[in-house]
Amino acid sequence: MSEQRLYYIVLKKSRSILKCIQFSANEKFNLMFEAPLDITLSASGFELVNFGCDDLQDQGNLSKHLTLCVFTNHTGSLCVCYSPKFDSWEKITYSVFYFHKGHSKTFTAALGSVDSLVTKGLTFLNLDYYVAVYLPGHFFHLLNIQHPDLICHSLFLTGNNEVVDMLPHSPLQSLSGSLVLDWCSGKLYRALLNQSYLLQFLWNTQLDCEKMAVLHCVLSCGRDPRFLEAKIIQWISENISTCHSFDLIQEFIIASSYWSIYPETSNIDKLLPYSSVLTWNTEIPGITLVTEEITLPFMKVHSFKGYWEKLNSNLEYVKCSKPCLLYNNSMVKREWHSLISEEKTGRRRSMVYVRNIFDNAMKVISNLEARNLEPRLTPLFQEEDYHQRLLIGLMVSELREHLLRHLQGIGKKKIEQMVLDYISKLLDLICQILETSWRTHHLHPWVLHFRRASAAEFTVFHIMTRILEATMSLFLPLPPGFHTLHTILGVHCLPLHNLLHYIDSGVLLLTETAVIRLMKDLDNSENNEKLKFSIIVRLPPHIGQKICRLWDHPMSSNIISRNHVKQLLLNYKKQPQSSMIDKSPGSVEFLPLNYFIEILTDIESSNQALYAFEGHDNVDAKFVEEAALKHTTMLLGL
């Protein structure tokens, strides 16, 4: 270790000052910072401790002394943990000064059992992104020091809990690098969070706040991300309706995507969302919390390297009081709706602009496919899906601009790759959730046969609906083909009135691929005719005209005829007509229809090129006449 640090406290009349001296290998040293501490240390009884020798006699008096620790980690965090002398057997209070965030938190933990006297001291352990605080036999707290703003991102266990019972009862001293010294034996240990136990705890816990905290803990300290994600997805699939304070799918997607690129660069925690939850108002059982702003450390040097550079960056961010820089898709949402609106009205942006957006989407999909070589069970990424590719491409553009604007000293190519990796991860997680559901319920790769839905299809449809809800509120993209698969499963699983309600409320999106499949694969039974007609009338005109030609049915001819007549009469101005109506041999004696067909024929003959119906010459006044007669005959039951 080339550098060592000494933290010490200077006692003042009004307050205490924490100082740090760093010693270098060349025997030089520098005073690095001064930081005021709002704690009283006068006559506190500080004493030197000889670790591993002559300390057993003092173990019974540990609770009579205060505890104070200084913890740092590679991300530039600086925490001071302080526990005063215990003055009550019913509750214990300790404070954590998050200097890198500009605030302190004072926790008061109810001990629950007043019969058990506190003879041990409070222990603080540095576990990289977390600080463990525990009192053997009473409580165990795992504080998130990287994202301490919301209490739900930290874990609080009290009372009769298996974790609390497992804690060592001998006094421990936290050292650098997650090392722990056992006072009694003099042995050094490395403290790590047990992944297997965290996953087991995730499956068993009932409280939403504990689910949230453990989910983030597993993702942050995991040493095999793919394995952990698979286990978490399995847990989500089986517990999707048991969490009421936050959306499990949403939280998993945001948190896992964040941790997939967080180690690559500093300051990314200020630019990418860590959690989908912005506020937490639910109380944590047995915990009282008070948050206060604190004075930031004053740096005494002007040149920073390594840890000090990151700490200084954190302090500068707090000083500037910048507005929240966390990325969100609000700009993407506005631009996406604008482009979709322009498409419907016939107005289009520059072809170069639109092509760049779709090129962005293609880069993400290629990046995703390159990382996943195994064949997929689910039929995703097999269609163009214009809307989702547009959304993916826009997100690439906006996120890239966001990071380029706020990340200093990082090359454009690296930021470009970070953006592709981040959005690829979002899509991949959604694919993983679907793949797990598909595999668990033994669904065929194309569940597009039209028969009565199985219980497995109902379950997968429900999970897909929950995925859609999770992504819609954050306006996140979905894998191309998701809406087609969701709609077809909806046709399997839902009665017609429920299906139409889902379509009208925007839960199910009628893609061209899904509707073509329905028109081709469903026969013309009475129920299927109702379904087809109900879907066709809900399609946008430019898709509806194309779909109607695939359905050989009087109802389809009627819809085509209506659209053709509407187009012909759009700019029609009434002209003087002859009172004589020419009747062709075999024409029907129905004067209103004969007169109307004559008008259509005149319009068509006056400008054939203008009124050609989508290039289909077989749609003309004669076609309209035949369709009208067939429809009338059908209505009259003749």
Side-chain angles (χ1 to χ4, degrees):
M1 187 175 183
S2 60
E3 297 174 344
Q4 293 184 337
R5 302 171 198 153
L6 171 66
Y7 297 94
Y8 64 100
I9 296 175
V10 177
L11 302 180
K12 301 285 186 179
K13 290 184 179 180
S14 57
R15 56 183 176 177
S16 304
I17 303 296
L18 173 68
K19 297 187 178 186
C20 175
I21 293 178
Q22 177 161 289
F23 297 90
S24 303
N26 58 6
E27 299 184 357
K28 293 183 179 180
F29 63 90
N30 292 297
L31 176 64
M32 302 304 296
F33 71 80
E34 296 180 351
L37 281 176
D38 189 19
I39 56 178
T40 303
L41 296 176
S42 58
S44 59
F46 272 125
E47 61 182 47
L48 296 175
V49 176
N50 183 5
F51 290 133
C53 182
D54 297 331
D55 62 288
L56 294 177
Q57 61 185 356
D58 296 325
Q59 287 188 41
N61 299 319
L62 287 175
S63 61
K64 299 178 182 179
H65 297 281
L66 61 82
T67 304
L68 193 146
C69 301
V70 180
F71 294 142
T72 62
N73 74 8
H74 64 281
T75 65
S77 67
L78 174 61
C79 291
V80 175
C81 303
Y82 165 70
S83 172
K85 298 177 183 179
F86 299 163
D87 55 5
S88 170
W89 305 123
E90 299 179 0
K91 59 184 180 180
I92 288 181
T93 297
Y94 66 91
S95 299
V96 179
F97 296 81
Y98 302 92
F99 280 109
H100 58 293
K101 295 293 183 180
H103 62 254
S104 68
K105 293 181 180 292
T106 299
F107 301 88
T108 301
L111 297 185
S113 175
V114 298
D115 298 331
S116 175
L117 296 182
V118 180
T119 59
K120 308 291 183 182
L122 201 61
T123 299
F124 296 98
L125 299 179
N126 185 5
L127 300 176
D128 203 11
Y129 297 118
Y130 289 85
V131 166
V133 186
Y134 74 89
L135 188 63
H138 294 279
F139 68 78
F140 174 83
H141 298 169
L142 197 60
L143 306 182
N144 189 328
I145 60 172
Q146 199 64 27
H147 297 276
D149 296 336
L150 297 184
I151 193 172
C152 61
H153 293 146
S154 298
L155 179 64
F156 300 90
L157 303 178
T158 57
N160 297 323
N161 187 284
E162 184 180 350
V163 176
V164 177
D165 294 338
M166 289 170 56
L167 297 172
H169 285 251
S170 59
L172 301 178
Q173 176 68 36
S174 185
L175 304 176
S176 62
S178 299
L179 291 175
V180 175
L181 174 65
D182 186 328
W183 286 19
C184 298
S185 65
K187 294 181 179 180
L188 279 176
Y189 301 93
R190 187 173 299 279
L192 297 173
L193 293 168
N194 187 305
Q195 287 183 183
S196 299
Y197 189 85
L198 286 171
L199 288 170
Q200 180 185 344
F201 186 90
L202 190 62
W203 278 87
N204 296 331
T205 185
Q206 300 298 316
L207 295 178
D208 285 357
C209 58
E210 293 181 354
K211 293 174 185 176
M212 170 78 81
V214 177
L215 173 63
H216 281 274
C217 187
V218 170
L219 291 172
S220 67
C221 66
R223 288 165 287 282
D224 186 355
R226 199 74 179 180
F227 169 79
L228 292 175
E229 287 168 358
K231 291 295 184 181
I232 293 172
I233 287 172
Q234 186 180 356
W235 168 70
I236 290 175
S237 300
E238 297 186 22
N239 295 272
I240 197 166
S241 300
T242 62
C243 191
H244 307 288
S245 301
F246 64 98
D247 188 309
L248 279 178
I249 295 177
Q250 199 175 75
E251 191 67 16
F252 169 65
I253 291 174
I254 293 297
S256 188
S257 299
Y258 169 90
W259 283 108
S260 70
I261 68 168
Y262 173 74
E264 295 181 20
T265 182
S266 58
N267 293 329
I268 204 71
D269 58 316
K270 305 175 184 65
L271 301 176
L272 289 178
Y274 170 80
S275 171
S276 64
V277 176
L278 301 178
T279 59
W280 186 273
N281 299 319
T282 306
E283 291 186 359
I284 306 295
I287 297 295
T288 303
L289 172 64
V290 177
T291 303
E292 297 177 306
E293 290 188 3
I294 58 176
T295 305
L296 297 178
F298 177 71
M299 303 304 294
K300 306 292 285 187
V301 295
H302 303 288
S303 178
F304 305 102
K305 292 182 180 180
Y307 165 78
W308 299 109
E309 183 179 5
K310 295 177 180 179
L311 173 61
N312 187 63
S313 176
N314 289 333
L315 298 179
E316 290 298 319
Y317 179 81
V318 176
K319 286 178 188 176
C320 293
S321 299
K322 294 179 181 178
C324 181
L325 297 179
L326 292 180
Y327 174 80
N328 65 72
N329 266 355
S330 57
M331 287 292 293
V332 172
K333 184 177 182 179
R334 286 195 292 270
E335 182 68 2
W336 187 84
H337 282 299
S338 176
L339 287 169
I340 296 300
S341 176
E342 290 174 8
E343 179 195 12
K344 291 178 180 178
T345 57
R347 295 182 291 113
R348 285 194 178 270
R349 300 283 182 93
S350 161
M351 289 300 296
V352 175
Y353 174 72
V354 176
R355 187 166 56 249
N356 286 338
I357 291 174
F358 283 101
D359 286 345
N360 289 339
M362 197 64 243
K363 290 177 183 177
V364 170
I365 294 172
S366 299
N367 189 59
L368 173 58
E369 295 296 342
R371 292 165 175 252
N372 296 275
L373 302 178
E374 296 181 4
R376 296 188 185 278
L377 291 175
T378 51
L380 299 174
F381 301 102
Q382 297 180 9
E383 63 182 87
E384 284 300 316
D385 202 337
Y386 175 87
H387 289 178
Q388 289 307 311
R389 289 178 185 263
L390 185 65
L391 181 53
I392 294 169
L394 285 172
M395 186 173 178
V396 171
S397 297
E398 289 297 328
L399 181 55
R400 181 174 55 214
E401 290 302 315
H402 179 74
L403 296 184
L404 285 172
R405 193 180 308 120
H406 299 293
L407 276 182
Q408 305 299 323
I410 298 179
K412 188 174 181 180
K413 286 187 177 180
K414 183 175 181 180
I415 288 180
E416 172 87 18
Q417 190 59 48
M418 285 173 57
V419 170
L420 295 179
D421 290 344
Y422 182 78
I423 300 176
S424 297
K425 188 66 177 182
L426 286 172
L427 295 174
D428 183 50
L429 292 170
I430 295 171
C431 292
Q432 284 189 57
I433 296 173
L434 276 179
E435 290 279 312
T436 299
S437 302
W438 223 255
R439 192 177 295 106
T440 301
H441 298 287
H442 309 291
L443 294 191
H444 190 271
W446 266 108
V447 190
L448 296 180
H449 49 276
F450 294 98
R451 56 173 176 73
R452 187 175 181 83
S454 64
E457 290 171 354
F458 271 105
T459 303
V460 174
F461 175 74
H462 176 63
I463 290 174
M464 292 190 74
T465 304
R466 294 298 297 266
I467 291 173
L468 184 66
E469 291 174 358
T471 56
M472 281 181 66
S473 60
L474 297 177
F475 211 73
L476 298 175
L478 289 163
F482 180 94
H483 285 294
T484 293
L485 186 58
H486 191 212
T487 298
I488 291 174
L489 278 175
V491 173
H492 289 187
C493 299
L494 300 174
L496 181 59
H497 63 282
N498 284 30
L499 176 70
L500 298 180
H501 175 69
Y502 271 53
I503 293 172
D504 293 338
S505 60
V507 176
L508 292 176
L509 185 65
L510 294 174
T511 65
E512 186 174 332
T513 304
V515 177
I516 289 174
R517 186 84 186 192
L518 294 175
M519 294 300 149
K520 288 184 175 180
D521 290 5
L522 291 178
D523 60 25
N524 285 333
S525 65
E526 183 178 353
N527 288 336
N528 287 343
E529 282 184 358
K530 290 180 181 179
L531 170 62
K532 289 181 179 181
F533 178 72
S534 300
I535 286 178
I536 284 178
V537 298
R538 285 167 166 80
L539 293 173
H542 66 285
I543 297 180
Q545 293 170 4
K546 187 185 299 184
I547 297 300
C548 283
R549 292 183 285 106
L550 300 174
W551 186 21
D552 183 16
H553 190 273
M555 191 65 69
S556 176
S557 300
N558 184 33
I559 294 171
I560 294 173
S561 299
R562 287 183 182 182
N563 290 332
H564 181 62
V565 170
K566 181 180 178 181
Q567 186 176 5
L568 288 177
L569 297 180
L570 191 61
N571 298 311
Y572 170 68
K573 294 182 180 179
K574 187 174 181 180
Q575 301 292 333
Q577 294 286 331
S578 169
S579 59
M580 295 296 294
I581 299 177
D582 296 331
K583 294 182 291 181
S584 59
S587 63
V588 179
E589 292 288 348
F590 186 47
L591 293 181
L593 178 61
N594 297 149
Y595 180 72
F596 182 60
I597 296 301
E598 183 182 8
I599 292 174
L600 296 183
T601 303
D602 289 342
I603 296 173
E604 289 175 348
S605 60
S606 65
N607 200 332
Q608 184 68 31
L610 177 63
Y611 295 111
F613 180 72
E614 294 289 327
H616 302 290
D617 298 331
N618 60 327
V619 181
D620 54 12
K622 184 64 177 174
F623 181 92
V624 173
E625 182 181 22
E626 292 177 357
L629 290 173
K630 288 180 182 178
H631 186 60
T632 303
T633 302
M634 185 176 64
L635 290 176
L636 294 176
L638 299 177

Coordinates of all heavy atoms in Angstrom, one line a residue, residues 144-201:
N144 N -27.2 1.5 2.5 CA -26.7 1.8 1.2 C -26.0 3.2 1.2 O -26.7 4.2 1.3 CB -27.9 1.8 0.2 CG -27.5 1.9 -1.2 OD1 -26.4 2.5 -1.6 ND2 -28.2 1.2 -2.1
I145 N -24.7 3.2 1.1 CA -24.0 4.5 1.1 C -23.8 5.1 -0.2 O -23.5 6.3 -0.3 CB -22.6 4.3 1.8 CG1 -21.7 3.4 1.0 CG2 -22.7 3.9 3.2 CD1 -20.3 3.3 1.5
Q146 N -24.0 4.3 -1.3 CA -23.9 4.9 -2.7 C -25.2 5.7 -3.0 O -25.1 6.7 -3.7 CB -23.7 3.8 -3.7 CG -23.1 4.2 -5.0 CD -21.7 4.8 -4.8 OE1 -21.0 4.5 -3.9 NE2 -21.4 5.7 -5.7
H147 N -26.3 5.1 -2.6 CA -27.6 5.8 -2.9 C -28.4 5.8 -1.6 O -29.4 5.0 -1.4 CB -28.4 5.0 -3.9 CG -27.7 5.0 -5.3 ND1 -27.8 6.0 -6.2 CD2 -26.8 4.1 -5.8 CE1 -27.0 5.7 -7.2 NE2 -26.4 4.6 -7.0
P148 N -28.1 6.7 -0.6 CA -28.7 6.7 0.7 C -30.0 7.5 0.8 O -30.6 7.6 1.9 CB -27.6 7.3 1.6 CG -26.9 8.3 0.6 CD -27.0 7.7 -0.7
D149 N -30.4 8.2 -0.3 CA -31.5 9.1 -0.2 C -32.8 8.5 0.3 O -33.5 9.1 1.1 CB -31.7 9.8 -1.5 CG -30.5 10.7 -1.9 OD1 -29.7 11.1 -1.0 OD2 -30.3 10.9 -3.1
L150 N -33.1 7.3 -0.3 CA -34.4 6.6 0.1 C -34.1 5.5 1.1 O -33.2 4.7 0.8 CB -35.1 6.1 -1.1 CG -35.6 7.1 -2.2 CD1 -36.3 6.4 -3.3 CD2 -36.4 8.2 -1.5
I151 N -34.8 5.5 2.2 CA -34.6 4.5 3.2 C -34.9 3.1 2.7 O -34.3 2.1 3.2 CB -35.5 4.8 4.5 CG1 -35.0 4.0 5.7 CG2 -36.9 4.6 4.2 CD1 -35.7 4.4 7.0
C152 N -35.7 3.0 1.7 CA -36.1 1.6 1.2 C -34.9 0.9 0.5 O -35.0 -0.3 0.2 CB -37.3 1.7 0.2 SG -37.0 2.7 -1.2
H153 N -33.9 1.7 0.2 CA -32.7 1.0 -0.5 C -31.7 0.5 0.5 O -30.6 0.0 0.2 CB -32.0 2.1 -1.4 CG -32.8 2.4 -2.6 ND1 -32.8 3.7 -3.1 CD2 -33.8 1.7 -3.3 CE1 -33.7 3.7 -4.2 NE2 -34.2 2.5 -4.3
S154 N -32.0 0.6 1.8 CA -31.2 0.0 2.9 C -32.1 -1.0 3.6 O -33.3 -1.0 3.6 CB -30.8 1.1 3.9 OG -29.9 2.0 3.2
L155 N -31.4 -2.0 4.2 CA -32.1 -3.1 4.8 C -32.0 -3.0 6.3 O -30.9 -2.7 6.9 CB -31.4 -4.4 4.4 CG -32.0 -5.7 5.0 CD1 -33.4 -5.9 4.5 CD2 -31.1 -6.9 4.5
F156 N -33.1 -3.2 7.0 CA -33.2 -3.1 8.5 C -33.9 -4.3 9.0 O -35.1 -4.6 8.8 CB -34.0 -1.8 8.9 CG -33.4 -0.5 8.4 CD1 -33.8 0.0 7.1 CD2 -32.5 0.1 9.1 CE1 -33.2 1.1 6.6 CE2 -31.9 1.3 8.6 CZ -32.3 1.8 7.4
L157 N -33.1 -5.1 9.8 CA -33.6 -6.3 10.4 C -33.5 -6.2 11.9 O -32.4 -5.8 12.4 CB -32.8 -7.5 10.0 CG -32.8 -7.8 8.4 CD1 -31.9 -9.0 8.1 CD2 -34.2 -8.0 7.9
T158 N -34.6 -6.5 12.6 CA -34.6 -6.3 14.1 C -35.2 -7.5 14.7 O -35.9 -8.3 14.1 CB -35.4 -5.0 14.5 OG1 -36.7 -5.1 14.0 CG2 -34.7 -3.8 14.0
G159 N -35.0 -7.7 16.0 CA -35.7 -8.7 16.8 C -35.2 -10.1 16.5 O -34.1 -10.4 16.2
N160 N -36.2 -11.0 16.6 CA -35.9 -12.4 16.4 C -35.8 -12.7 14.9 O -36.8 -13.1 14.2 CB -37.0 -13.3 17.0 CG -37.1 -13.1 18.5 OD1 -36.1 -12.9 19.1 ND2 -38.3 -13.1 19.1
N161 N -34.6 -12.6 14.4 CA -34.4 -12.8 13.0 C -33.2 -13.7 12.8 O -32.2 -13.6 13.5 CB -34.1 -11.4 12.3 CG -34.1 -11.6 10.8 OD1 -33.1 -12.0 10.2 ND2 -35.1 -11.2 10.1
E162 N -33.3 -14.5 11.8 CA -32.2 -15.5 11.6 C -30.8 -14.8 11.3 O -29.8 -15.3 11.8 CB -32.5 -16.4 10.4 CG -31.5 -17.6 10.2 CD -31.9 -18.4 9.0 OE1 -33.1 -18.3 8.5 OE2 -31.1 -19.3 8.6
V163 N -30.9 -13.7 10.6 CA -29.6 -13.0 10.3 C -29.0 -12.4 11.6 O -27.8 -12.5 11.8 CB -29.9 -11.9 9.3 CG1 -28.6 -11.1 9.0 CG2 -30.4 -12.4 8.0
V164 N -29.9 -11.8 12.4 CA -29.4 -11.3 13.6 C -28.8 -12.3 14.5 O -27.7 -12.1 15.2 CB -30.5 -10.6 14.4 CG1 -30.1 -10.0 15.7 CG2 -31.1 -9.4 13.5
D165 N -29.4 -13.5 14.5 CA -28.9 -14.6 15.4 C -27.5 -15.1 14.9 O -26.8 -15.7 15.6 CB -29.9 -15.7 15.4 CG -31.2 -15.3 16.2 OD1 -31.1 -14.3 16.9 OD2 -32.2 -15.9 15.9
M166 N -27.3 -15.0 13.6 CA -26.0 -15.5 13.0 C -24.8 -14.6 13.2 O -23.7 -15.0 13.0 CB -26.2 -15.7 11.5 CG -27.2 -16.8 11.1 SD -27.6 -16.8 9.3 CE -25.9 -16.8 8.6
L167 N -25.0 -13.4 13.6 CA -24.0 -12.4 13.8 C -23.0 -12.8 14.8 O -23.4 -13.3 15.9 CB -24.5 -11.1 14.1 CG -25.4 -10.4 13.0 CD1 -26.0 -9.2 13.5 CD2 -24.6 -10.2 11.7
P168 N -21.7 -12.6 14.6 CA -20.7 -13.0 15.7 C -20.8 -12.1 16.9 O -21.1 -10.9 16.8 CB -19.3 -12.7 15.0 CG -19.7 -11.7 13.9 CD -21.0 -12.1 13.4
H169 N -20.7 -12.6 18.1 CA -20.8 -11.9 19.3 C -19.5 -11.2 19.8 O -19.6 -10.4 20.7 CB -21.4 -12.8 20.4 CG -22.9 -13.1 20.2 ND1 -23.9 -12.5 21.0 CD2 -23.5 -13.8 19.2 CE1 -25.1 -13.0 20.6 NE2 -24.9 -13.7 19.5
S170 N -18.4 -11.7 19.2 CA -17.2 -11.1 19.7 C -17.0 -9.7 19.0 O -17.4 -9.5 17.9 CB -16.0 -12.0 19.3 OG -16.0 -12.2 17.9
P171 N -16.3 -8.8 19.6 CA -16.1 -7.4 19.0 C -15.3 -7.5 17.8 O -14.3 -8.2 17.7 CB -15.4 -6.7 20.1 CG -15.5 -7.5 21.4 CD -15.7 -8.9 20.9
L172 N -15.7 -6.8 16.7 CA -15.0 -6.7 15.5 C -14.6 -5.3 15.1 O -15.3 -4.3 15.5 CB -15.9 -7.2 14.3 CG -16.4 -8.7 14.5 CD1 -17.3 -9.0 13.3 CD2 -15.2 -9.7 14.6
Q173 N -13.5 -5.1 14.4 CA -13.0 -3.8 14.0 C -12.9 -3.8 12.5 O -12.2 -4.7 11.9 CB -11.7 -3.5 14.6 CG -11.1 -2.2 14.2 CD -11.9 -0.9 14.6 OE1 -12.4 -0.9 15.7 NE2 -11.9 0.1 13.8
S174 N -13.6 -2.9 11.8 CA -13.5 -2.8 10.3 C -12.2 -2.2 9.9 O -11.9 -1.1 10.4 CB -14.7 -2.1 9.8 OG -14.7 -2.1 8.4
L175 N -11.5 -2.7 8.9 CA -10.3 -2.2 8.4 C -10.6 -1.9 6.9 O -11.7 -2.1 6.4 CB -9.1 -3.1 8.6 CG -8.9 -3.5 10.0 CD1 -7.7 -4.6 10.1 CD2 -8.5 -2.3 10.9
S176 N -9.6 -1.4 6.2 CA -9.7 -1.1 4.8 C -9.9 -2.4 4.0 O -9.5 -3.5 4.4 CB -8.5 -0.3 4.3 OG -7.3 -1.1 4.4
G177 N -10.5 -2.2 2.8 CA -10.7 -3.3 1.8 C -11.6 -4.4 2.3 O -11.3 -5.6 2.0
S178 N -12.6 -4.0 3.1 CA -13.6 -5.0 3.6 C -12.9 -6.0 4.6 O -13.5 -7.1 4.9 CB -14.3 -5.8 2.5 OG -15.0 -4.9 1.7
L179 N -11.7 -5.7 5.1 CA -11.1 -6.5 6.1 C -11.7 -6.3 7.5 O -12.1 -5.1 7.8 CB -9.6 -6.3 6.1 CG -8.8 -6.8 4.9 CD1 -7.3 -6.3 5.1 CD2 -8.9 -8.3 4.8
V180 N -11.8 -7.3 8.3 CA -12.3 -7.2 9.6 C -11.4 -7.9 10.6 O -10.9 -9.0 10.3 CB -13.7 -7.9 9.7 CG1 -14.3 -7.9 11.1 CG2 -14.7 -7.2 8.8
L181 N -11.2 -7.3 11.7 CA -10.3 -7.8 12.8 C -11.1 -8.3 13.9 O -11.9 -7.5 14.5 CB -9.3 -6.7 13.2 CG -8.4 -7.1 14.4 CD1 -7.4 -8.2 14.0 CD2 -7.6 -5.9 14.9
D182 N -10.9 -9.5 14.3 CA -11.6 -10.1 15.5 C -10.7 -9.7 16.7 O -9.6 -10.2 16.8 CB -11.7 -11.6 15.4 CG -12.5 -12.2 16.5 OD1 -12.5 -11.7 17.6 OD2 -13.2 -13.2 16.2
W183 N -11.3 -8.9 17.6 CA -10.5 -8.5 18.8 C -10.0 -9.6 19.6 O -8.9 -9.6 20.2 CB -11.4 -7.5 19.6 CG -11.6 -6.2 19.0 CD1 -11.4 -5.8 17.7 CD2 -12.0 -5.0 19.7 NE1 -11.7 -4.5 17.6 CE2 -12.1 -4.0 18.8 CE3 -12.3 -4.7 21.1 CZ2 -12.5 -2.7 19.1 CZ3 -12.7 -3.5 21.4 CH2 -12.8 -2.4 20.5
C184 N -10.9 -10.6 19.8 CA -10.5 -11.7 20.7 C -9.4 -12.6 20.2 O -8.5 -12.9 21.0 CB -11.8 -12.6 21.0 SG -13.1 -11.6 21.8
S185 N -9.5 -13.0 18.9 CA -8.5 -13.9 18.4 C -7.3 -13.2 17.7 O -6.3 -13.8 17.5 CB -9.2 -14.9 17.4 OG -9.7 -14.2 16.3
G186 N -7.5 -12.0 17.3 CA -6.5 -11.3 16.6 C -6.4 -11.7 15.1 O -5.5 -11.3 14.4
K187 N -7.4 -12.4 14.7 CA -7.4 -12.9 13.3 C -8.1 -11.9 12.4 O -9.0 -11.1 12.8 CB -8.2 -14.2 13.2 CG -7.5 -15.4 13.9 CD -8.3 -16.7 13.7 CE -7.6 -17.8 14.4 NZ -8.3 -19.1 14.3
L188 N -7.6 -11.9 11.1 CA -8.2 -11.0 10.1 C -9.1 -11.8 9.2 O -8.8 -13.0 8.8 CB -7.1 -10.4 9.2 CG -6.3 -9.2 9.7 CD1 -5.2 -8.8 8.8 CD2 -7.3 -8.0 9.9
Y189 N -10.3 -11.2 8.8 CA -11.2 -11.8 7.9 C -11.6 -10.8 6.9 O -11.4 -9.6 7.0 CB -12.5 -12.3 8.7 CG -12.2 -13.3 9.8 CD1 -12.1 -12.8 11.1 CD2 -12.2 -14.6 9.6 CE1 -11.9 -13.7 12.1 CE2 -12.0 -15.5 10.6 CZ -11.8 -15.1 11.9 OH -11.6 -16.0 12.9
R190 N -12.1 -11.4 5.7 CA -12.6 -10.5 4.7 C -14.1 -10.6 4.7 O -14.6 -11.8 4.5 CB -12.1 -10.8 3.3 CG -12.5 -9.8 2.3 CD -11.8 -10.0 0.9 NE -10.4 -9.9 1.0 CZ -9.7 -8.7 1.0 NH1 -10.4 -7.6 0.9 NH2 -8.4 -8.7 1.1
A191 N -14.8 -9.6 5.0 CA -16.3 -9.6 5.1 C -16.9 -9.5 3.7 O -16.7 -8.5 3.0 CB -16.8 -8.5 6.0
L192 N -17.8 -10.4 3.3 CA -18.5 -10.4 2.1 C -20.0 -10.7 2.3 O -20.3 -11.5 3.2 CB -17.9 -11.4 1.1 CG -16.4 -11.2 0.6 CD1 -16.0 -12.4 -0.2 CD2 -16.3 -9.9 -0.1
L193 N -20.8 -10.2 1.5 CA -22.2 -10.5 1.5 C -22.5 -11.8 0.8 O -22.0 -12.0 -0.3 CB -23.1 -9.4 0.9 CG -23.0 -8.1 1.7 CD1 -23.6 -6.9 0.9 CD2 -23.8 -8.2 3.0
N194 N -23.2 -12.7 1.4 CA -23.4 -14.0 0.9 C -24.6 -14.0 -0.1 O -25.7 -13.8 0.2 CB -23.8 -15.0 2.0 CG -23.9 -16.4 1.5 OD1 -24.6 -16.8 0.6 ND2 -23.1 -17.3 2.2
Q195 N -24.2 -14.2 -1.4 CA -25.2 -14.2 -2.5 C -26.3 -15.2 -2.3 O -27.5 -14.8 -2.5 CB -24.6 -14.4 -3.9 CG -23.7 -13.3 -4.4 CD -23.1 -13.6 -5.7 OE1 -22.4 -12.8 -6.3 NE2 -23.5 -14.7 -6.3
S196 N -26.0 -16.4 -2.0 CA -27.0 -17.4 -1.8 C -28.0 -17.1 -0.7 O -29.2 -17.3 -0.9 CB -26.3 -18.8 -1.5 OG -25.5 -19.2 -2.6
Y197 N -27.5 -16.6 0.4 CA -28.4 -16.2 1.5 C -29.2 -15.0 1.1 O -30.4 -15.0 1.5 CB -27.6 -15.9 2.7 CG -28.5 -15.8 3.9 CD1 -28.9 -16.9 4.7 CD2 -29.0 -14.6 4.3 CE1 -29.7 -16.8 5.7 CE2 -29.8 -14.5 5.4 CZ -30.2 -15.6 6.1 OH -31.1 -15.5 7.1
L198 N -28.7 -14.1 0.4 CA -29.5 -12.9 0.0 C -30.6 -13.4 -0.9 O -31.8 -12.9 -0.8 CB -28.6 -11.9 -0.8 CG -27.7 -11.1 0.1 CD1 -26.7 -10.3 -0.8 CD2 -28.4 -10.1 1.0
L199 N -30.4 -14.3 -1.9 CA -31.4 -14.8 -2.7 C -32.5 -15.5 -1.9 O -33.7 -15.4 -2.2 CB -30.8 -15.7 -3.8 CG -30.0 -15.0 -4.9 CD1 -29.3 -16.0 -5.8 CD2 -30.9 -14.1 -5.8
Q200 N -32.0 -16.3 -1.0 CA -33.0 -17.1 -0.1 C -33.8 -16.1 0.7 O -35.1 -16.3 0.8 CB -32.2 -18.0 0.8 CG -33.1 -18.8 1.7 CD -32.3 -19.6 2.7 OE1 -31.1 -19.8 2.6 NE2 -32.9 -20.1 3.8
F201 N -33.2 -15.0 1.2 CA -33.9 -14.0 1.9 C -35.0 -13.3 1.0 O -36.1 -13.0 1.4 CB -33.0 -13.0 2.5 CG -33.6 -12.0 3.4 CD1 -33.7 -12.2 4.8 CD2 -34.1 -10.8 2.9 CE1 -34.3 -11.3 5.6 CE2 -34.7 -9.9 3.8 CZ -34.8 -10.2 5.1

